[in-house]
Amino acid sequence: MRILVVGANGTIGSAVVNEMKGDTEIIKASRSNSEIKVDITSTDSIMRMFEEVGEIDALVSTTGSAHFGPIEGLTPELNRIAVNSKLLGQINLVLLGLPYIRDKGSITLTTGILMDDPVVGGASSAMANGGIRAFVKSAAIELPRGIRINSVSPNMLEESKEKYGSFFVGFEPVPAKRVALAYRKSILGSQTGQSYTIY
Ligand SMILES: NC(=O)c1ccc[n+]([C@@H]2O[C@H](COP(=O)([O-])OP(=O)(O)OC[C@H]3O[C@@H](n4cnc5c(N)ncnc54)[C@H](OP(=O)(O)O)[C@@H]3O)[C@@H](O)[C@H]2O)c1
């Protein structure tokens, strides 16, 4: 089984790589620190990545940026970061990657808990997360060749507490290992159109 992980060297991505390593071939991609370079905000870059990688059984995205900050300071330009990266970047991976995914393959995208449990400063990210979840639910009913699609909505990770702890006041962080299991379920299971919330 060939698995392409976009965002492979990040906190969630490296946990997914660790969870799936073994009998699978994992191809690691990210903006600058992986063997395969890709910028998900550029359709040209995404197309080049798939041409380089070739056929895969599973596409996993553990990336996507968004501006964090108060809604009053959220300009249309700042909001566009989430639109171009977390929302359209991940969706373009699906649209451009579909021909490269083998029959009965899978796609797994990443959202986040703040779309259901809001935090101050998280509106732009929540917008992108909700868009991804809706896209996944809808795309699942018409993806061809038995290809499945799911998304994972993690709570703040224990490993990210220092970085995001001040935003997620009162949240109980989850270990990356537990989050990675949801990706395993999406890649190796049978469900489609699901949003796995990891609380
Ligand atoms: N960590 C958490 O607690 C948490 C909780 C819920 C949801 N999430 C969501 O999960 C996703 C990943 O979070 P994380 O904490 O694992 O992030 P992270 O540790 O900062 O890693 C981000 C990864 O994405 C890559 N990347 C960044 N911009 C890219 C681009 N334009 N094109 C291609 N790759 C790009 C990075 O590559 P390089 O290093 O090579 O630049 C890196 O591999 C984010 O969407 C985040 O909102 C995270």
Side-chain angles (χ1 to χ4, degrees), residues 96-145:
L96 298 171
L98 204 49
Y100 295 88
I101 301 175
R102 291 179 181 142
D103 294 2
K104 297 189 175 5
S106 71
I107 301 164
T108 312
L109 306 182
T110 299
T111 60
I113 200 70
L114 47 66
M115 68 174 153
D116 294 311
D117 199 352
V119 301
V120 171
S124 191
S125 188
M127 166 198 70
N129 290 341
I132 293 290
R133 178 166 61 186
F135 174 82
V136 163
K137 186 173 182 179
S138 185
I141 67 166
E142 56 173 310
L143 280 181
R145 301 183 281 108

Side-chain angles (χ1 to χ4, degrees), residues 9-12 30 32-33 38-40 62-64 86 154 157 160:
N9 65 312
T11 309
I12 295 178
S30 72
S32 44
N33 298 309
V38 63
D39 178 357
I40 64 162
T62 56
T63 184
K86 196 162 191 181
L157 272 65
S160 304

